[in-house]
Amino acid sequence: MEKINDINFFKTDTITLAKNLIGKWIVTNFEGKEIKAQISETEAYLGVNDSACHTYKNKRTTRTEPMFKQGGTIY
């Protein structure tokens, strides 16, 4: 299982990142147990110009604010 330690992995265009995330693992600990999930599907929204994206037309809300931050921020 490859661990991503470089924030630059996330600083790329949306389509490339969505493709590169396929097959990666999310690993966390919950109540003393390690939980793993492999990413098998992604979606790629293209920001303020994509009518399917929550940030369409530069819509900023408390919920969408993470989407305006640098790559690697979880939404």
mmCIF file of all heavy atoms in Angstrom, residues 42-64:
data_model
loop_
_atom_site.group_PDB
_atom_site.id
_atom_site.type_symbol
_atom_site.label_atom_id
_atom_site.label_comp_id
_atom_site.label_asym_id
_atom_site.label_seq_id
_atom_site.Cartn_x
_atom_site.Cartn_y
_atom_site.Cartn_z
ATOM 1 N N THR A 42 -14.090 7.881 -8.586
ATOM 2 C CA THR A 42 -13.953 9.300 -8.253
ATOM 3 C C THR A 42 -14.880 10.103 -9.149
ATOM 4 O O THR A 42 -15.387 9.602 -10.151
ATOM 5 C CB THR A 42 -12.502 9.809 -8.449
ATOM 6 O OG1 THR A 42 -12.138 9.640 -9.816
ATOM 7 C CG2 THR A 42 -11.526 9.095 -7.542
ATOM 8 N N GLU A 43 -15.075 11.345 -8.794
ATOM 9 C CA GLU A 43 -15.806 12.290 -9.629
ATOM 10 C C GLU A 43 -14.920 13.524 -9.771
ATOM 11 O O GLU A 43 -14.191 13.869 -8.852
ATOM 12 C CB GLU A 43 -17.141 12.669 -8.993
ATOM 13 C CG GLU A 43 -18.084 11.491 -8.868
ATOM 14 C CD GLU A 43 -19.416 11.880 -8.254
ATOM 15 O OE1 GLU A 43 -19.655 13.076 -7.995
ATOM 16 O OE2 GLU A 43 -20.229 10.966 -8.027
ATOM 17 N N ALA A 44 -14.989 14.166 -10.908
ATOM 18 C CA ALA A 44 -14.144 15.339 -11.161
ATOM 19 C C ALA A 44 -15.013 16.510 -11.609
ATOM 20 O O ALA A 44 -15.532 16.512 -12.716
ATOM 21 C CB ALA A 44 -13.100 15.014 -12.226
ATOM 22 N N TYR A 45 -15.174 17.468 -10.725
ATOM 23 C CA TYR A 45 -15.926 18.673 -11.050
ATOM 24 C C TYR A 45 -14.937 19.799 -11.316
ATOM 25 O O TYR A 45 -13.907 19.902 -10.663
ATOM 26 C CB TYR A 45 -16.870 19.035 -9.904
ATOM 27 C CG TYR A 45 -17.894 17.960 -9.656
ATOM 28 C CD1 TYR A 45 -17.738 17.041 -8.627
ATOM 29 C CD2 TYR A 45 -19.003 17.843 -10.487
ATOM 30 C CE1 TYR A 45 -18.672 16.042 -8.408
ATOM 31 C CE2 TYR A 45 -19.941 16.838 -10.274
ATOM 32 C CZ TYR A 45 -19.768 15.946 -9.243
ATOM 33 O OH TYR A 45 -20.689 14.950 -9.044
ATOM 34 N N LEU A 46 -15.266 20.646 -12.262
ATOM 35 C CA LEU A 46 -14.302 21.628 -12.747
ATOM 36 C C LEU A 46 -14.552 23.041 -12.227
ATOM 37 O O LEU A 46 -14.342 24.022 -12.925
ATOM 38 C CB LEU A 46 -14.266 21.583 -14.274
ATOM 39 C CG LEU A 46 -13.918 20.199 -14.834
ATOM 40 C CD1 LEU A 46 -13.979 20.196 -16.349
ATOM 41 C CD2 LEU A 46 -12.550 19.738 -14.348
ATOM 42 N N GLY A 47 -14.975 23.134 -10.999
ATOM 43 C CA GLY A 47 -15.030 24.418 -10.311
ATOM 44 C C GLY A 47 -16.129 25.359 -10.743
ATOM 45 O O GLY A 47 -17.226 24.951 -11.118
ATOM 46 N N VAL A 48 -15.824 26.643 -10.682
ATOM 47 C CA VAL A 48 -16.828 27.699 -10.827
ATOM 48 C C VAL A 48 -17.507 27.724 -12.187
ATOM 49 O O VAL A 48 -18.582 28.321 -12.329
ATOM 50 C CB VAL A 48 -16.228 29.084 -10.499
ATOM 51 C CG1 VAL A 48 -15.743 29.126 -9.054
ATOM 52 C CG2 VAL A 48 -15.114 29.456 -11.456
ATOM 53 N N ASN A 49 -16.933 27.069 -13.192
ATOM 54 C CA ASN A 49 -17.544 27.051 -14.525
ATOM 55 C C ASN A 49 -18.314 25.771 -14.814
ATOM 56 O O ASN A 49 -18.883 25.621 -15.894
ATOM 57 C CB ASN A 49 -16.468 27.252 -15.594
ATOM 58 C CG ASN A 49 -15.803 28.603 -15.466
ATOM 59 O OD1 ASN A 49 -16.466 29.610 -15.263
ATOM 60 N ND2 ASN A 49 -14.492 28.629 -15.537
ATOM 61 N N ASP A 50 -18.356 24.850 -13.876
ATOM 62 C CA ASP A 50 -19.019 23.550 -14.040
ATOM 63 C C ASP A 50 -20.357 23.598 -13.299
ATOM 64 O O ASP A 50 -20.396 23.631 -12.076
ATOM 65 C CB ASP A 50 -18.118 22.454 -13.478
ATOM 66 C CG ASP A 50 -18.670 21.048 -13.646
ATOM 67 O OD1 ASP A 50 -19.878 20.902 -13.921
ATOM 68 O OD2 ASP A 50 -17.901 20.103 -13.472
ATOM 69 N N SER A 51 -21.454 23.581 -14.036
ATOM 70 C CA SER A 51 -22.780 23.733 -13.415
ATOM 71 C C SER A 51 -23.135 22.578 -12.477
ATOM 72 O O SER A 51 -24.064 22.690 -11.688
ATOM 73 C CB SER A 51 -23.863 23.889 -14.482
ATOM 74 O OG SER A 51 -23.926 22.735 -15.300
ATOM 75 N N ALA A 52 -22.422 21.460 -12.537
ATOM 76 C CA ALA A 52 -22.662 20.339 -11.624
ATOM 77 C C ALA A 52 -21.871 20.482 -10.322
ATOM 78 O O ALA A 52 -22.081 19.726 -9.387
ATOM 79 C CB ALA A 52 -22.290 19.026 -12.301
ATOM 80 N N CYS A 53 -20.965 21.444 -10.270
ATOM 81 C CA CYS A 53 -20.095 21.630 -9.101
ATOM 82 C C CYS A 53 -20.760 22.536 -8.063
ATOM 83 O O CYS A 53 -21.446 23.497 -8.405
ATOM 84 C CB CYS A 53 -18.768 22.245 -9.551
ATOM 85 S SG CYS A 53 -17.567 22.393 -8.224
ATOM 86 N N HIS A 54 -20.540 22.238 -6.780
ATOM 87 C CA HIS A 54 -21.116 23.059 -5.711
ATOM 88 C C HIS A 54 -20.557 24.478 -5.687
ATOM 89 O O HIS A 54 -21.135 25.344 -5.034
ATOM 90 C CB HIS A 54 -20.894 22.390 -4.355
ATOM 91 C CG HIS A 54 -21.668 21.126 -4.191
ATOM 92 N ND1 HIS A 54 -21.344 20.169 -3.262
ATOM 93 C CD2 HIS A 54 -22.751 20.635 -4.848
ATOM 94 C CE1 HIS A 54 -22.190 19.162 -3.338
ATOM 95 N NE2 HIS A 54 -23.050 19.416 -4.302
ATOM 96 N N THR A 55 -19.438 24.724 -6.370
ATOM 97 C CA THR A 55 -18.861 26.074 -6.407
ATOM 98 C C THR A 55 -19.234 26.829 -7.681
ATOM 99 O O THR A 55 -18.691 27.893 -7.951
ATOM 100 C CB THR A 55 -17.321 26.019 -6.307
ATOM 101 O OG1 THR A 55 -16.816 25.287 -7.419
ATOM 102 C CG2 THR A 55 -16.885 25.388 -5.001
ATOM 103 N N TYR A 56 -20.167 26.292 -8.445
ATOM 104 C CA TYR A 56 -20.588 26.921 -9.711
ATOM 105 C C TYR A 56 -20.929 28.391 -9.481
ATOM 106 O O TYR A 56 -21.557 28.765 -8.497
ATOM 107 C CB TYR A 56 -21.798 26.170 -10.262
ATOM 108 C CG TYR A 56 -22.311 26.689 -11.575
ATOM 109 C CD1 TYR A 56 -21.483 26.782 -12.683
ATOM 110 C CD2 TYR A 56 -23.632 27.071 -11.715
ATOM 111 C CE1 TYR A 56 -21.953 27.234 -13.897
ATOM 112 C CE2 TYR A 56 -24.124 27.523 -12.928
ATOM 113 C CZ TYR A 56 -23.276 27.606 -14.011
ATOM 114 O OH TYR A 56 -23.750 28.066 -15.218
ATOM 115 N N LYS A 57 -20.465 29.213 -10.398
ATOM 116 C CA LYS A 57 -20.655 30.675 -10.351
ATOM 117 C C LYS A 57 -20.048 31.278 -9.081
ATOM 118 O O LYS A 57 -20.548 32.246 -8.532
ATOM 119 C CB LYS A 57 -22.129 31.050 -10.481
ATOM 120 C CG LYS A 57 -22.716 30.727 -11.840
ATOM 121 C CD LYS A 57 -24.124 31.253 -11.952
ATOM 122 C CE LYS A 57 -24.683 30.968 -13.333
ATOM 123 N NZ LYS A 57 -26.080 31.428 -13.463
ATOM 124 N N ASN A 58 -18.962 30.641 -8.614
ATOM 125 C CA ASN A 58 -18.200 31.145 -7.461
ATOM 126 C C ASN A 58 -19.019 31.164 -6.167
ATOM 127 O O ASN A 58 -18.809 32.006 -5.303
ATOM 128 C CB ASN A 58 -17.622 32.528 -7.751
ATOM 129 C CG ASN A 58 -16.262 32.709 -7.137
ATOM 130 O OD1 ASN A 58 -15.539 31.755 -6.900
ATOM 131 N ND2 ASN A 58 -15.913 33.944 -6.855
ATOM 132 N N LYS A 59 -19.949 30.210 -6.026
ATOM 133 C CA LYS A 59 -20.798 30.134 -4.834
ATOM 134 C C LYS A 59 -19.958 29.729 -3.627
ATOM 135 O O LYS A 59 -19.425 28.642 -3.566
ATOM 136 C CB LYS A 59 -21.916 29.116 -5.051
ATOM 137 C CG LYS A 59 -22.856 28.993 -3.874
ATOM 138 C CD LYS A 59 -23.943 27.982 -4.145
ATOM 139 C CE LYS A 59 -24.850 27.838 -2.937
ATOM 140 N NZ LYS A 59 -25.833 26.781 -3.155
ATOM 141 N N ARG A 60 -19.859 30.634 -2.671
ATOM 142 C CA ARG A 60 -19.087 30.378 -1.455
ATOM 143 C C ARG A 60 -20.029 30.311 -0.269
ATOM 144 O O ARG A 60 -20.773 31.247 0.009
ATOM 145 C CB ARG A 60 -18.051 31.475 -1.234
ATOM 146 C CG ARG A 60 -16.936 31.439 -2.266
ATOM 147 C CD ARG A 60 -15.909 32.504 -1.958
ATOM 148 N NE ARG A 60 -14.863 31.938 -1.138
ATOM 149 C CZ ARG A 60 -13.579 31.947 -1.469
ATOM 150 N NH1 ARG A 60 -13.186 32.499 -2.602
ATOM 151 N NH2 ARG A 60 -12.682 31.419 -0.669
ATOM 152 N N THR A 61 -19.985 29.176 0.413
ATOM 153 C CA THR A 61 -20.759 28.981 1.638
ATOM 154 C C THR A 61 -19.831 28.309 2.643
ATOM 155 O O THR A 61 -18.717 27.903 2.302
ATOM 156 C CB THR A 61 -21.983 28.069 1.389
ATOM 157 O OG1 THR A 61 -21.514 26.760 1.047
ATOM 158 C CG2 THR A 61 -22.879 28.609 0.285
ATOM 159 N N THR A 62 -20.289 28.151 3.854
ATOM 160 C CA THR A 62 -19.496 27.443 4.861
ATOM 161 C C THR A 62 -19.168 26.040 4.353
ATOM 162 O O THR A 62 -18.055 25.559 4.521
ATOM 163 C CB THR A 62 -20.264 27.373 6.193
ATOM 164 O OG1 THR A 62 -20.550 28.708 6.622
ATOM 165 C CG2 THR A 62 -19.460 26.661 7.258
ATOM 166 N N ARG A 63 -20.144 25.397 3.714
ATOM 167 C CA ARG A 63 -19.945 24.032 3.221
ATOM 168 C C ARG A 63 -18.933 23.975 2.082
ATOM 169 O O ARG A 63 -18.108 23.077 2.026
ATOM 170 C CB ARG A 63 -21.273 23.451 2.749
ATOM 171 C CG ARG A 63 -21.143 22.035 2.225
ATOM 172 C CD ARG A 63 -22.457 21.481 1.763
ATOM 173 N NE ARG A 63 -22.816 22.052 0.492
ATOM 174 C CZ ARG A 63 -23.613 21.484 -0.388
ATOM 175 N NH1 ARG A 63 -24.166 20.328 -0.116
ATOM 176 N NH2 ARG A 63 -23.898 22.067 -1.514
ATOM 177 N N THR A 64 -18.962 24.939 1.160
ATOM 178 C CA THR A 64 -18.086 24.878 -0.016
ATOM 179 C C THR A 64 -16.723 25.518 0.197
ATOM 180 O O THR A 64 -15.839 25.362 -0.640
ATOM 181 C CB THR A 64 -18.748 25.550 -1.235
ATOM 182 O OG1 THR A 64 -18.926 26.950 -0.971
ATOM 183 C CG2 THR A 64 -20.064 24.899 -1.588
#
